[in-house]
PDB file of all heavy atoms in Angstrom:
ATOM      1  N   ILE A1203      25.578  27.241 -34.380  1.00 98.00           N
ATOM      2  CA  ILE A1203      24.833  27.064 -33.122  1.00 98.00           C
ATOM      3  C   ILE A1203      24.195  28.405 -32.746  1.00 98.00           C
ATOM      4  O   ILE A1203      24.835  29.451 -32.853  1.00 98.00           O
ATOM      5  CB  ILE A1203      25.790  26.589 -32.002  1.00 98.00           C
ATOM      6  CG1 ILE A1203      26.336  25.200 -32.336  1.00 98.00           C
ATOM      7  CG2 ILE A1203      25.089  26.594 -30.641  1.00 98.00           C
ATOM      8  CD1 ILE A1203      27.447  24.728 -31.408  1.00 98.00           C
ATOM      9  N   LEU A1204      22.943  28.360 -32.333  1.00 98.00           N
ATOM     10  CA  LEU A1204      22.217  29.579 -31.964  1.00 98.00           C
ATOM     11  C   LEU A1204      22.239  29.725 -30.442  1.00 98.00           C
ATOM     12  O   LEU A1204      21.723  28.885 -29.702  1.00 98.00           O
ATOM     13  CB  LEU A1204      20.776  29.507 -32.471  1.00 98.00           C
ATOM     14  CG  LEU A1204      19.940  30.798 -32.355  1.00 98.00           C
ATOM     15  CD1 LEU A1204      20.597  31.934 -33.126  1.00 98.00           C
ATOM     16  CD2 LEU A1204      18.527  30.560 -32.872  1.00 98.00           C
ATOM     17  N   HIS A1223      29.256  32.566 -27.082  1.00 98.00           N
ATOM     18  CA  HIS A1223      29.167  32.994 -28.482  1.00 98.00           C
ATOM     19  C   HIS A1223      30.547  33.317 -29.043  1.00 98.00           C
ATOM     20  O   HIS A1223      30.886  32.946 -30.173  1.00 98.00           O
ATOM     21  CB  HIS A1223      28.229  34.180 -28.584  1.00 98.00           C
ATOM     22  CG  HIS A1223      28.181  34.853 -29.929  1.00 98.00           C
ATOM     23  ND1 HIS A1223      27.958  34.161 -31.096  1.00 98.00           N
ATOM     24  CD2 HIS A1223      28.344  36.161 -30.282  1.00 98.00           C
ATOM     25  CE1 HIS A1223      27.973  35.016 -32.127  1.00 98.00           C
ATOM     26  NE2 HIS A1223      28.222  36.228 -31.646  1.00 98.00           N
ATOM     27  N   ASP A1228      31.438  28.720 -34.786  1.00 98.00           N
ATOM     28  CA  ASP A1228      30.385  29.160 -35.701  1.00 98.00           C
ATOM     29  C   ASP A1228      29.082  29.273 -34.908  1.00 98.00           C
ATOM     30  O   ASP A1228      28.465  28.252 -34.576  1.00 98.00           O
ATOM     31  CB  ASP A1228      30.224  28.175 -36.848  1.00 98.00           C
ATOM     32  CG  ASP A1228      29.337  28.708 -37.982  1.00 98.00           C
ATOM     33  OD1 ASP A1228      28.748  29.793 -37.801  1.00 98.00           O
ATOM     34  OD2 ASP A1228      29.261  28.037 -39.027  1.00 98.00           O
ATOM     35  N   SER A1229      28.684  30.488 -34.561  1.00 98.00           N
ATOM     36  CA  SER A1229      27.464  30.677 -33.778  1.00 98.00           C
ATOM     37  C   SER A1229      26.860  32.033 -34.089  1.00 98.00           C
ATOM     38  O   SER A1229      27.489  32.909 -34.681  1.00 98.00           O
ATOM     39  CB  SER A1229      27.766  30.587 -32.272  1.00 98.00           C
ATOM     40  OG  SER A1229      28.613  31.640 -31.854  1.00 98.00           O
ATOM     41  N   ALA A1230      25.605  32.180 -33.683  1.00 98.00           N
ATOM     42  CA  ALA A1230      24.897  33.448 -33.757  1.00 98.00           C
ATOM     43  C   ALA A1230      24.294  33.714 -32.377  1.00 98.00           C
ATOM     44  O   ALA A1230      24.040  32.776 -31.612  1.00 98.00           O
ATOM     45  CB  ALA A1230      23.814  33.402 -34.816  1.00 98.00           C
ATOM     46  N   LEU A1231      24.044  34.990 -32.066  1.00 98.00           N
ATOM     47  CA  LEU A1231      23.572  35.374 -30.732  1.00 98.00           C
ATOM     48  C   LEU A1231      22.272  36.157 -30.827  1.00 98.00           C
ATOM     49  O   LEU A1231      22.175  37.130 -31.561  1.00 98.00           O
ATOM     50  CB  LEU A1231      24.623  36.240 -30.036  1.00 98.00           C
ATOM     51  CG  LEU A1231      24.237  36.839 -28.669  1.00 98.00           C
ATOM     52  CD1 LEU A1231      24.046  35.727 -27.637  1.00 98.00           C
ATOM     53  CD2 LEU A1231      25.297  37.832 -28.203  1.00 98.00           C
ATOM     54  N   ILE A1232      21.264  35.701 -30.076  1.00 98.00           N
ATOM     55  CA  ILE A1232      20.032  36.444 -29.897  1.00 98.00           C
ATOM     56  C   ILE A1232      20.073  37.054 -28.491  1.00 98.00           C
ATOM     57  O   ILE A1232      20.232  36.344 -27.503  1.00 98.00           O
ATOM     58  CB  ILE A1232      18.787  35.563 -30.024  1.00 98.00           C
ATOM     59  CG1 ILE A1232      18.663  35.016 -31.444  1.00 98.00           C
ATOM     60  CG2 ILE A1232      17.527  36.345 -29.657  1.00 98.00           C
ATOM     61  CD1 ILE A1232      17.476  34.071 -31.636  1.00 98.00           C
ATOM     62  N   THR A1261      18.552  28.981 -40.940  1.00 96.00           N
ATOM     63  CA  THR A1261      18.917  30.395 -41.092  1.00 96.00           C
ATOM     64  C   THR A1261      19.217  31.034 -39.753  1.00 96.00           C
ATOM     65  O   THR A1261      18.432  30.896 -38.802  1.00 96.00           O
ATOM     66  CB  THR A1261      17.789  31.171 -41.800  1.00 96.00           C
ATOM     67  OG1 THR A1261      17.519  30.562 -43.059  1.00 96.00           O
ATOM     68  CG2 THR A1261      18.180  32.635 -41.996  1.00 96.00           C
ATOM     69  N   THR A1262      20.324  31.736 -39.668  1.00 97.00           N
ATOM     70  CA  THR A1262      20.678  32.488 -38.469  1.00 97.00           C
ATOM     71  C   THR A1262      20.472  33.987 -38.721  1.00 97.00           C
ATOM     72  O   THR A1262      20.367  34.421 -39.883  1.00 97.00           O
ATOM     73  CB  THR A1262      22.139  32.240 -38.051  1.00 97.00           C
ATOM     74  OG1 THR A1262      22.993  32.556 -39.172  1.00 97.00           O
ATOM     75  CG2 THR A1262      22.349  30.794 -37.661  1.00 97.00           C
ATOM     76  N   PRO A1263      20.356  34.804 -37.660  1.00 96.00           N
ATOM     77  CA  PRO A1263      20.120  36.241 -37.862  1.00 96.00           C
ATOM     78  C   PRO A1263      21.189  36.897 -38.744  1.00 96.00           C
ATOM     79  O   PRO A1263      22.373  36.519 -38.704  1.00 96.00           O
ATOM     80  CB  PRO A1263      20.187  36.796 -36.431  1.00 96.00           C
ATOM     81  CG  PRO A1263      19.795  35.641 -35.565  1.00 96.00           C
ATOM     82  CD  PRO A1263      20.367  34.432 -36.237  1.00 96.00           C
ATOM     83  N   ASP A1264      20.777  37.876 -39.531  1.00 94.00           N
ATOM     84  CA  ASP A1264      21.707  38.626 -40.387  1.00 94.00           C
ATOM     85  C   ASP A1264      22.798  39.247 -39.534  1.00 94.00           C
ATOM     86  O   ASP A1264      22.529  39.861 -38.491  1.00 94.00           O
ATOM     87  CB  ASP A1264      20.946  39.740 -41.137  1.00 94.00           C
ATOM     88  CG  ASP A1264      20.040  39.190 -42.208  1.00 94.00           C
ATOM     89  OD1 ASP A1264      20.237  38.037 -42.611  1.00 94.00           O
ATOM     90  OD2 ASP A1264      19.099  39.913 -42.617  1.00 94.00           O
ATOM     91  N   GLY A1265      24.027  39.073 -39.979  1.00 94.00           N
ATOM     92  CA  GLY A1265      25.150  39.637 -39.233  1.00 94.00           C
ATOM     93  C   GLY A1265      25.535  38.857 -37.994  1.00 94.00           C
ATOM     94  O   GLY A1265      26.431  39.238 -37.275  1.00 94.00           O
ATOM     95  N   GLY A1266      24.824  37.761 -37.742  1.00 96.00           N
ATOM     96  CA  GLY A1266      25.180  36.892 -36.613  1.00 96.00           C
ATOM     97  C   GLY A1266      24.603  37.309 -35.274  1.00 96.00           C
ATOM     98  O   GLY A1266      24.848  36.631 -34.278  1.00 96.00           O
ATOM     99  N   GLU A1267      23.856  38.435 -35.235  1.00 97.00           N
ATOM    100  CA  GLU A1267      23.309  38.880 -33.980  1.00 97.00           C
ATOM    101  C   GLU A1267      21.920  39.499 -34.183  1.00 97.00           C
ATOM    102  O   GLU A1267      21.644  40.104 -35.224  1.00 97.00           O
ATOM    103  CB  GLU A1267      24.245  39.879 -33.265  1.00 97.00           C
ATOM    104  CG  GLU A1267      25.565  39.284 -32.846  1.00 97.00           C
ATOM    105  CD  GLU A1267      26.351  40.179 -31.889  1.00 97.00           C
ATOM    106  OE1 GLU A1267      25.773  41.164 -31.392  1.00 97.00           O
ATOM    107  OE2 GLU A1267      27.525  39.857 -31.623  1.00 97.00           O
ATOM    108  N   LEU A1268      21.070  39.329 -33.166  1.00 98.00           N
ATOM    109  CA  LEU A1268      19.727  39.886 -33.195  1.00 98.00           C
ATOM    110  C   LEU A1268      19.364  40.312 -31.773  1.00 98.00           C
ATOM    111  O   LEU A1268      19.605  39.575 -30.816  1.00 98.00           O
ATOM    112  CB  LEU A1268      18.729  38.827 -33.676  1.00 98.00           C
ATOM    113  CG  LEU A1268      17.230  39.187 -33.576  1.00 98.00           C
ATOM    114  CD1 LEU A1268      16.874  40.308 -34.553  1.00 98.00           C
ATOM    115  CD2 LEU A1268      16.381  37.949 -33.830  1.00 98.00           C
ATOM    116  N   THR A1269      18.775  41.495 -31.641  1.00 98.00           N
ATOM    117  CA  THR A1269      18.302  41.991 -30.341  1.00 98.00           C
ATOM    118  C   THR A1269      16.789  42.033 -30.354  1.00 98.00           C
ATOM    119  O   THR A1269      16.182  42.611 -31.265  1.00 98.00           O
ATOM    120  CB  THR A1269      18.864  43.385 -30.014  1.00 98.00           C
ATOM    121  OG1 THR A1269      20.293  43.298 -29.939  1.00 98.00           O
ATOM    122  CG2 THR A1269      18.315  43.905 -28.689  1.00 98.00           C
TER     123      THR A1269
END
Side-chain angles (χ1 to χ4, degrees):
I1203 295 171
L1204 189 59
H1223 171 52
D1228 192 353
S1229 65
L1231 175 66
I1232 295 177
T1261 303
T1262 56
D1264 290 341
E1267 295 193 10
L1268 172 68
T1269 298

